Amino acid sequence: MDFRYWLGQALSSNEAWAETFTPVRPHPSLEISDGRFETAFEELTERLKDNYPFFHPSYAGQMLKPPHPAAVVGYLTAMLVNPNNHALDGGPATAEMEREVVGQLATMFGYTEHLGHLTTSGTVANLEALFVARETHPGKGIAYSAEAHYTHGRMCGVLGVEGHTVPVDARGAMDLDALEELLRTGKIGTVVLTAGTTALGTVEPVHEAMALRERYGVRVHVDAAYGGFFRLLSGLDGPEGLPEAPWLAIAEADSIVIDPHKHGLQPYGCGAVLFKDPGAGRFYLHDSPYTYFTSEDLHLGEISLECSRAGAAAAALWLTFRLLPPTPDGLGRVLAAGRRAALRWAKLLEDSERFDLYQSPELDIVVYFPRTEPRSLSKIDEASARIMRVGMAAAKDPVFLSTLRVSAPRFGLRHTGVDADADGARILRSVLMKPESEDHVDRLHERLEELSRG
């Protein structure tokens, strides 16, 4: 697509629509000369240079990448109208688009019925899921694994619910034996399972946990904020294919969270929460006599804890899904490239004389550490920090990584023969969520080898 052309078409479309109404003279208080704007704009663009190149495959640090051009055009086109998806009179067109894209997300996960909406983030989406969990199981606690996102512990505090951390196994997934021991106490009303942990990309055993749900009568919430779109790769042939069982079981979860602003190619912020039982809407009931007055239909604000939400976010996702739908042949091809890149890098690391793979990647996150002499946690920590620092500061061909701090016991579960002379160590972590990584991963590895020699 010709990005510049369609950005211009966004402006033209808005102008043509505006001309169908009575002409309005712009107010003088809003007028700004091109000279003044140029000065301010130059300052803005100069300050924005103080960013890492999230667009480039050499940026393999955090879960960051630019949105797809289609999402940008969709967002800008709707933003010029500036609809608010809180009430139907605030954004009738984008409210309908939101219902459509949320329906596509529900279908992707296998929900036949659902209630859901977009949110400004995965944090807010998880807050809403845990809020409904509290209301359905009053007085009961919420269990989540030690590798779950920190938002769950934080939101338990916000909601006044007791949070319980469950130990993880050797691959960083919730230990179901430890979970069952906790469930026997009768303290737990909801179990949070993560489909794609933030640190390692581990997919927790949703399919195995469902048996515990039936046995102990608990609610199951799946936090698929990062990994949810990998549902599109489950059961596929080829190296990028993922085991089906945990992904198919998500259809039985009581609620799901997913972030389109991660693998859905959207700008921040665009999260989503889905409930299997449409009756969950009863917990949102409220009255707003000055808001809900143009339609008898359900307003999105009536099923959301947030009030104002950008209708432009719904338009951006809608346009993206029209072009790259959440199907294996659509958006799935984008995720498959990142998955193959992770597998390729894992093989390079396994064959390397300078690095060790910390754990085989389950999605598109690769975690590894430099070989040191002596082989000790303190030396690994020091070398990892140095490689990241020097790589990011390189004047030519920089590489951008992140570190992950792991405890000595967790490191020891995966690697023996390393002196635990510290309580933990920083190791290196790379997120290959851009499909361009597939063609760049060999160069990334080559740069890491060069940096390790430095």
Side-chain angles (χ1 to χ4, degrees):
M1 58 179 285
D2 186 336
F3 192 25
R4 289 179 183 272
Y5 172 80
W6 291 111
L7 288 174
Q9 287 297 101
L11 294 172
S12 298
S13 173
N14 180 260
E15 290 167 356
W17 173 71
E19 287 172 359
T20 64
F21 298 91
T22 304
V24 176
R25 180 178 66 89
H27 196 275
S29 65
L30 299 175
E31 292 181 359
I32 298 170
S33 69
D34 281 338
R36 284 185 62 206
F37 186 85
E38 181 181 15
T39 300
F41 186 72
E42 286 179 353
E43 182 181 357
L44 169 67
T45 54
E46 188 62 32
R47 294 188 68 167
L48 285 175
K49 292 176 184 176
D50 184 22
N51 267 307
Y52 300 122
F54 305 130
F55 72 94
H56 199 281
S58 284
Y59 182 86
Q62 304 294 346
M63 297 168 171
L64 291 164
K65 64 178 180 181
H68 192 279
V72 176
V73 173
Y75 199 102
L76 173 62
T77 305
M79 185 187 69
L80 294 170
V81 181
N82 202 27
N84 180 351
N85 271 22
H86 177 60
L88 290 178
D89 58 294
T94 51
E96 184 59 30
M97 291 178 192
E98 180 168 341
R99 289 195 184 95
E100 290 177 26
V101 295
V102 168
Q104 288 177 278
L105 292 172
T107 298
M108 180 182 76
F109 285 117
Y111 274 2
T112 53
E113 286 189 299
H114 73 278
L115 182 79
H117 56 271
L118 300 181
T119 65
T120 53
S121 69
T123 297
V124 172
N126 277 308
L127 170 64
E128 295 208 16
L130 299 188
F131 158 71
V132 170
R134 184 192 70 180
E135 298 304 294
T136 53
H137 289 76
K140 296 285 189 176
I142 295 173
Y144 41 84
S145 81
E147 290 287 331
H149 195 278
Y150 63 81
T151 190
H152 296 290
R154 177 183 284 182
M155 292 305 108
C156 282
V158 170
L159 292 166
V161 176
E162 188 174 4
H164 299 261
T165 303
V166 181
V168 294
D169 60 21
R171 69 181 183 93
M174 182 183 285
D175 184 328
L176 295 187
D177 290 335
L179 172 63
E180 183 164 21
E181 186 177 340
L182 178 61
L183 294 179
R184 289 193 190 104
T185 67
K187 296 179 179 180
I188 303 301
T190 298
V191 175
V192 176
L193 294 161
T194 305
T197 58
T198 309
L200 299 172
T202 300
V203 179
E204 296 191 317
V206 182
H207 54 305
E208 296 175 8
M210 286 302 172
L212 297 177
R213 179 181 72 171
E214 302 308 318
R215 193 175 305 156
Y216 295 96
V218 293
R219 184 181 182 85
V220 169
H221 168 60
V222 174
D223 180 1
Y226 184 74
F229 283 104
F230 281 94
R231 169 68 179 86
L232 302 174
L233 304 186
S234 63
L236 295 186
D237 295 329
E240 66 270 23
L242 297 171
E244 277 191 303
W247 299 101
L248 293 176
I250 292 177
E252 302 304 316
D254 296 285
S255 55
I256 308 167
V257 158
I258 186 170
D259 273 357
H261 65 214
K262 291 190 172 75
H263 284 102
L265 308 178
Q266 299 305 291
Y268 290 108
C270 185
V273 61
L274 304 166
F275 296 99
K276 186 178 179 66
D277 177 14
R282 68 189 184 277
F283 300 115
Y284 291 95
L285 287 177
H286 64 280
D287 185 33
S288 180
Y290 50 82
T291 302
Y292 310 125
F293 56 83
T294 60
S295 173
E296 295 300 319
D297 293 338
L298 183 70
H299 297 256
L300 291 169
E302 296 179 273
I303 55 166
S304 171
L305 292 182
E306 294 178 278
C307 293
S308 298
R309 291 179 304 111
L317 186 57
W318 183 90
L319 184 58
T320 305
F321 278 3
R322 291 284 287 181
L323 302 163
L324 292 168
T327 61
D329 291 333
L331 196 55
R333 294 176 60 205
V334 180
L335 276 82
R339 169 82 177 130
R340 289 192 298 266
L343 294 174
R344 167 64 180 164
W345 201 354
K347 180 66 168 62
L348 291 171
L349 290 163
E350 288 175 336
D351 295 340
S352 174
E353 296 181 355
R354 308 197 70 85
F355 289 93
D356 281 319
L357 185 65
Y358 179 71
Q359 177 171 309
S360 295
E362 294 189 28
L363 301 179
D364 59 3
I365 299 174
V366 185
V367 184
Y368 50 100
F369 59 93
R371 292 186 179 182
T372 61
E373 188 58 47
R375 287 172 63 83
S376 67
L377 291 182
S378 62
K379 288 294 184 182
I380 289 170
D381 179 88
E382 179 184 321
S384 296
R386 182 192 64 79
I387 289 171
M388 186 183 77
R389 182 179 66 253
V390 174
M392 292 174 66
K396 182 181 180 181
D397 204 5
V399 59
F400 302 86
L401 312 171
S402 64
T403 59
L404 170 67
R405 182 168 181 80
V406 297
S407 68
R410 290 188 188 178
F411 193 100
L413 281 175
R414 296 165 174 84
H415 299 275
T416 58
V418 176
D419 182 14
D421 62 343
D423 60 0
R426 285 169 291 181
I427 58 178
L428 295 166
R429 172 177 168 273
S430 294
V431 180
L432 304 180
M433 66 189 304
K434 292 182 285 292
E436 295 83 0
S437 297
E438 185 172 19
D439 295 330
H440 196 70
V441 71
D442 283 55
R443 178 55 185 157
L444 268 175
H445 182 76
E446 182 181 332
R447 284 292 289 131
L448 264 289
E449 297 263 331
E450 293 168 359
L451 291 168
S452 70
R453 297 186 191 99

